[in-house]
Amino acid sequence: MSEIISAARGTEEASSLVIIPTYCEARNIGRMLDTLNSLYHCELDVLVIDDSSPDGTAEVVRDRQQHQDSVTLMEREGKLGLGTAYRAGFRYALQKGYRFILEMDADFSHDPAMIAALLKEAETADLVIGSRYVNNTVNVVNWPLGRLILSKMASIYTRLVTGLPVSDPTGGFKCFRRETLEAVDLRRVSSQGYSFQIEMNFRVWKKGLTIREIPIVFVDRTVGESKMTRQNIREAVWIVWWLKLRSLLGAL
Ligand SMILES: Nc1nc2c(ncn2[C@@H]2O[C@H](COP(=O)(O)OP(=O)(O)O)[C@@H](O)[C@H]2O)c(=O)[nH]1
Ligand SMILES: [Mg+2]
């Protein structure tokens, strides 16, 4: 798989990197980079991983790179999935020596202002998850009912099968400490798509590391469309059994 990384500079000061995978987010990513720049100027580097979006997402990122040193763009050859994008991003982050590595969507479902809260919590936890369902509440705005039910069912199913003590195992707004990513053998992570979130949580938990959830409000995107597919759902259905089995066999 070939990746082109442009302006892989990053600021000298930042010890934190937020990774944003994108596929057809041209109408979101510019505003997102501007928002991050105004909130966390020099404190946070950004890595956008774009899978050759046909809508020109990468061009928007390149435009911002003209005046934002903190932004790096990784371009991949085609739509290769969320899981593989994050794995590539984690490898990059470890190579570059970042101490805190965050995941976030490009579409404003995750409030960039909450990054500070995730980072603060990560001072005393190995993995912090921005959770929609903490304390038995549902903090989701504007999601179609079907999508909400699917997400809640996925949470219950994951917990029943694997025992993972996390109320929002599929959430994608997270902060890992560097040591946490080092502890997980990323080469063994097999999820291509959205089940990547479940798999990472499970692997971190099985290492005996601390996972903490903090409440977030998740707002459905107002621009663009969700990239979740039936194939992503199918992968998540079997991956929990695969993880459970591997862990029982001591072969995670
Ligand atoms: N690089 C890359 N990004 C992806 C892919 N699939 C989804 N994304 C991005 O991952 C993030 C989450 O996807 P999204 O469609 O918002 O999922 P949802 O919030 O669960 O509906 C968004 O920023 C997408 O653009 C992919 O195959 N490759
Ligand atoms: Mg989203």
Side-chain angles (χ1 to χ4, degrees):
M1 179 196 314
S2 82
E3 295 155 357
I4 301 169
I5 301 182
S6 63
R9 181 165 123 45
T11 52
E12 300 287 308
E13 306 83 11
S15 61
S16 310
L17 177 76
V18 59
I19 303 173
I20 307 180
T22 54
Y23 190 74
C24 290
E25 302 287 2
R27 292 191 296 145
N28 284 313
I29 194 66
R31 193 160 65 90
M32 177 55 80
L33 293 176
D34 295 344
T35 307
L36 290 171
N37 190 42
S38 67
L39 287 173
Y40 303 106
H41 182 66
C42 286
E43 288 166 50
L44 184 73
D45 285 346
V46 186
L47 172 66
V48 179
I49 305 184
D50 185 62
D51 281 2
S52 300
S53 299
D55 72 343
T57 301
E59 279 76 58
V60 180
V61 178
R62 271 194 285 275
D63 172 69
R64 293 309 192 279
Q65 283 182 312
Q66 313 271 334
H67 46 90
Q68 289 181 27
D69 284 346
S70 55
V71 178
T72 295
L73 172 64
M74 182 187 291
E75 294 182 84
R76 306 195 304 166
E77 275 172 344
K79 191 170 185 312
L80 299 169
L82 193 69
T84 66
Y86 272 127
R87 275 208 309 277
F90 290 164
R91 275 198 307 273
Y92 170 88
L94 292 178
Q95 250 171 32
K96 293 277 171 183
Y98 288 99
R99 291 180 54 221
F100 299 96
I101 297 106
L102 297 114
E103 299 182 359
M104 189 172 77
D105 286 10
D107 57 9
F108 287 89
S109 286
H110 303 141
D111 178 359
M114 284 299 288
I115 287 177
L118 289 174
L119 281 169
K120 174 138 199 2
E121 210 62 32
E123 283 168 18
T124 54
D126 301 306
L127 165 60
V128 183
I129 302 176
S131 175
R132 296 163 287 193
Y133 309 129
V134 87
N135 301 332
N136 288 325
T137 52
V138 176
N139 285 319
V140 172
V141 179
N142 282 345
W143 242 9
L145 187 62
R147 184 71 203 267
L148 179 60
I149 291 171
L150 181 67
S151 169
K152 277 298 282 180
M153 299 258 291
S155 309
I156 296 165
Y157 173 75
T158 301
R159 193 171 188 142
L160 278 177
V161 176
T162 64
L164 176 70
V166 167
S167 18
D168 189 359
T170 58
F173 194 21
K174 298 156 84 159
C175 181
F176 295 85
R177 291 180 69 88
R178 159 185 197 87
E179 300 78 13
T180 308
L181 292 181
E182 283 170 341
V184 172
D185 187 349
L186 293 172
R187 287 165 309 180
R188 287 182 168 233
V189 175
S190 66
S191 298
Q192 306 291 309
Y194 285 50
S195 55
F196 176 78
Q197 305 297 3
I198 297 173
E199 182 168 358
M200 284 302 293
N201 296 339
F202 186 77
R203 288 179 180 276
V204 169
W205 177 55
K206 281 290 161 186
K207 290 280 173 198
L209 299 171
T210 322
I211 303 180
R212 195 167 305 145
E213 292 182 270
I214 62 168
I216 58 154
V217 178
F218 178 98
V219 183
D220 193 21
R221 57 163 77 233
T222 52
V223 179
E225 278 158 25
S226 170
K227 279 64 190 194
M228 200 177 73
T229 61
R230 280 178 195 281
Q231 167 58 25
N232 291 144
I233 299 170
R234 277 197 295 273
E235 185 184 26
V237 169
W238 68 258
I239 209 106
V240 290
W241 289 103
W242 183 86
L243 289 169
K244 174 79 185 169
L245 191 68
R246 303 280 298 190
S247 88
L248 284 175
L249 297 171
L252 253 193

